[in-house]
């Protein structure tokens, strides 16, 4: 399977210097923007106005990860803002199929995320409605946590379902991705990798991206 993308998470960047921080990852495939509302997860980050400013200056497309309650109400606004890929949490949506269709209708790629404890099987029939499936490899809310190996079988089952149905859905993993864990996630079938601390914690983020890419392709 062709490997694809390294999407650094700006959660681990310096929030006072976002424009400069974005320039440091211009060799990335996209920038992962973590939106948290202090309800769906016990942490608060940025909202739509800041995302719009990131969008205006980013050298790479935006991959927004919405860790917010009432996704049905708030996610379409991110698509309207021109965010290339908008990912909502299945656990935060009442009508995920309707929402995915709305995101696509507004010109965004439709992504859906699952917490580590949420099974993928109930959602397999809606794969054709999605451009991206995000399997969280930590509990969402904070950067710098350890990769949960217990998610690997779910990644494998999702990969088998995607390949079996012939749909073009990216399989993203997010949380605890390092040069070591990316190898296991890639082997299990993931092809889009979010990395926060492994990129922005490195002396040279651009070089860290290349090392992760090489490890994923190994
Ligand atoms: C966690 C966020 C992640 C986070 C990953 O809830 O969704 O995107 O930034 O950070 P690391 O790579 O440090 O685990
Ligand atoms: Zn994320």
């Amino acid at each position: 399977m062709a490997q694809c993308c390294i999407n650094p998470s700006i959660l681990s960047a310096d929030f006072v210097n976002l424009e400069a921080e974005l320039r440091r990852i211009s060799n990335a495939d996209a920038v992962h923007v973590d939106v948290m509302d202090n309800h769906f997860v016990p942490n608060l980050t940025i909202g739509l106005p800041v995302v719009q400013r990131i969008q205006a200056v980013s050298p790479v497309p935006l991959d927004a990860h919405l860790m917010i309650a009432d996704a049905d109400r708030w996610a379409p606004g991110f698509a309207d803002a021109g965010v290339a890929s908008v990912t909502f949490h299945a656990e935060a949506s009442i009508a995920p199929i309707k929402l995915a269709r709305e995101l696509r209708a507004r010109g965004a790629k439709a992504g859906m995320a699952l917490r580590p404890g949420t099974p993928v099987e109930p959602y397999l029939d809606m794969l054709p409605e999605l451009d991206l499936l995000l399997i969280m490899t930590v509990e969402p809310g904070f950067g710098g946590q350890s990769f949960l190996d217990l998610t690997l079988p779910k990644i494998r089952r999702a990969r088998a379902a995607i390949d079996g149905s012939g749909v073009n859905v990216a399989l993203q993993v997010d949380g605890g991705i390092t040069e070591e864990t990316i190898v296991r996630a890639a082997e299990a079938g993931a092809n889009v990798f979010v990395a926060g601390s492994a990129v922005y914690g490195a002396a040279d983020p651009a070089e860290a991206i290349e090392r992760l890419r090489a490890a994923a392709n190994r």
Side-chain angles (χ1 to χ4, degrees):
M1 182 197 18
Q3 289 303 335
C4 168
C5 307
I6 305 293
N7 297 3
S9 164
I10 51 155
L11 190 60
S12 298
D14 178 0
F15 270 53
V16 180
N17 295 299
L18 281 180
E19 189 170 6
E21 292 286 73
L22 288 163
R23 275 199 301 270
R24 297 171 82 198
I25 57 152
S26 56
N27 60 329
D29 296 280
V31 57
H32 184 83
V33 179
D34 288 302
V35 176
M36 306 186 189
D37 66 352
N38 215 15
H39 291 277
F40 183 72
V41 289
N43 196 7
L44 187 65
T45 55
I46 57 173
L48 188 54
V50 178
V51 173
Q52 281 172 317
R53 290 298 300 141
I54 292 171
Q55 161 99 352
V57 301
S58 177
V60 292
L62 265 60
D63 159 32
H65 176 196
L66 307 182
M67 286 159 276
I68 58 175
D70 204 357
D72 307 77
R73 176 172 176 193
W74 300 111
F78 289 82
D80 286 341
V83 172
S85 176
V86 179
T87 298
F88 63 89
H89 265 267
E91 305 88 349
S93 172
I94 301 286
I97 296 169
K98 178 169 177 269
L99 179 53
R101 288 183 179 182
E102 244 177 88
L103 294 173
R104 280 178 165 178
R106 289 162 194 244
K109 286 187 177 165
M112 191 177 74
L114 303 175
R115 300 183 79 122
T118 304
V120 70
E121 281 72 19
Y123 298 99
L124 292 180
D125 286 341
M126 72 173 281
L127 282 176
E129 305 288 339
L130 299 174
D131 299 294
L132 180 149
L133 178 66
L134 165 54
I135 295 191
M136 289 302 298
T137 44
V138 299
E139 282 295 350
F142 300 92
Q145 303 180 77
S146 299
F147 183 87
L148 292 170
D149 277 284
L150 62 82
T151 60
L152 288 170
K154 181 161 65 170
I155 298 168
R156 279 198 196 97
R157 294 196 301 272
R159 168 51 59 197
I162 290 168
D163 290 351
S165 58
V167 289
N168 184 20
V169 180
L171 187 54
Q172 185 178 68
V173 285
D174 179 10
I177 295 295
T178 64
E179 272 179 74
E180 185 223 337
T181 61
I182 200 170
V183 178
R184 301 206 286 281
E187 186 272 329
N191 68 336
V192 183
F193 306 91
V194 176
S197 42
V199 170
Y200 278 108
D204 184 342
E207 204 182 284
I209 291 168
E210 293 313 330
R211 283 201 306 267
L212 287 167
R213 215 174 249 140
N217 286 320
R218 216 178 284 149

